[in-house]
Amino acid sequence: MGSFGCLSVLFVSVVVLVLNSPTVQCGCYKRIFSFGDSIIDAGNFVHAIGNGPSSYKEFPFGMTFFHHPTGRISDGRILVDFYAQAFQLPLPPPSMPEQDSGHFPNGANFAVLAATALPGSYFHRWNHTLPTGWDLGGEINWFKEMLHRIAPSDGDKRRILGESLIVLGEIGGNDYNFWFGARRPREQAFQFIPDVVGCIRYNAQELIGLGAKTIVIPNNFPIGCVPEYLDWFGGPGEPRDEHQCLRWFNDFSARHNEALRGVVNQLRARNPGVKIIYTDYFGATMEVVKTPAKFGIGNPLVACCGGNNQHHTNDGCNRTTRLWGNPDNFVSWDGVHMTDKAYHAISDGVLNGPFADPPLLRTC
């Protein structure tokens, strides 16, 4: 996230991070390794595109916490940043810039925008092409290459992983997002669920086999409350719940989450010495949607940065589009991804309960 020119600036930065931490817990984990998509991408996508243009490289991204763009798809921190702060660790850096040279003493973030759980080849049977080639298996392979480089022996690998917190997702949302976004038959997406959660199970077991002792496995968000979904599919006749979210799409997310909970139970039964933490991003988000005033939020179904349509999603988020107010008053940052404020609220429910089983701070 950038180097600092002198120790005094570094000290001040560390103090700011600690003071902004939701909870402080020292000496529990030495590293955090995370995997996922744009929800927790800390800069891998902007590194991957090199000098190519991207609004993610520009203001107003990063405006509220870092005060400059960092490659995170938010106005500030992402979920894994709050977990790091809670355990008094530096924020996990994106892995790509130092994939072949970094030693990552405090962990690394392998998540990248547009990543799916399943590989793109899986969807070819339906004549469906994904926009990128990034998937969970690829991220795990990057991780294994890095791990072998910094810890050649099996004993060293197991020691490093045994001291680390693994955050495996959220991942799998894009397997469905790209299908729905292409306006493919929505009911057909149900058949992907067993394979998506099976892929998550396989990769979690792979990490356990390498020596992981604590793994966070988050579920999927309530996509029926996402502003872009509301504009895509929220036409006349589309059923809504009492919070004006799209009922069918939230029910779909709930089906995925039910299957994922079953996978977590299978992993726990197979690996009794491993802490596997099921985290309920769906429930934590709905808590904010149901009671926005409790969190200082206005309308939870509109984007802070974007266009002029009903949910502010028709013009993306970039340096020329409108900011509709202080991001601290919004759940959605750009119509798809959330604000620092929303991620803070969700992370608090994961760290302290009730939206994790068990609460993350009780795993030490």
Side-chain angles (χ1 to χ4, degrees), residues 15 21 32 72 89 116 170 177 206 209 250 270 280 297 316 354:
V15 169
S21 171
I32 295 179
R72 290 165 174 80
L89 290 172
T116 52
E170 177 271 341
N177 292 335
E206 183 101 341
N250 276 2
R270 183 176 177 181
D280 184 11
I297 301 292

Side-chain angles (χ1 to χ4, degrees), residues 222-243:
I223 58 175
C225 303
V226 172
E228 191 159 285
Y229 268 77
L230 288 162
D231 281 329
W232 281 353
F233 302 108
E238 181 71 33
R240 296 178 182 245
D241 64 17
E242 65 270 32
H243 311 293

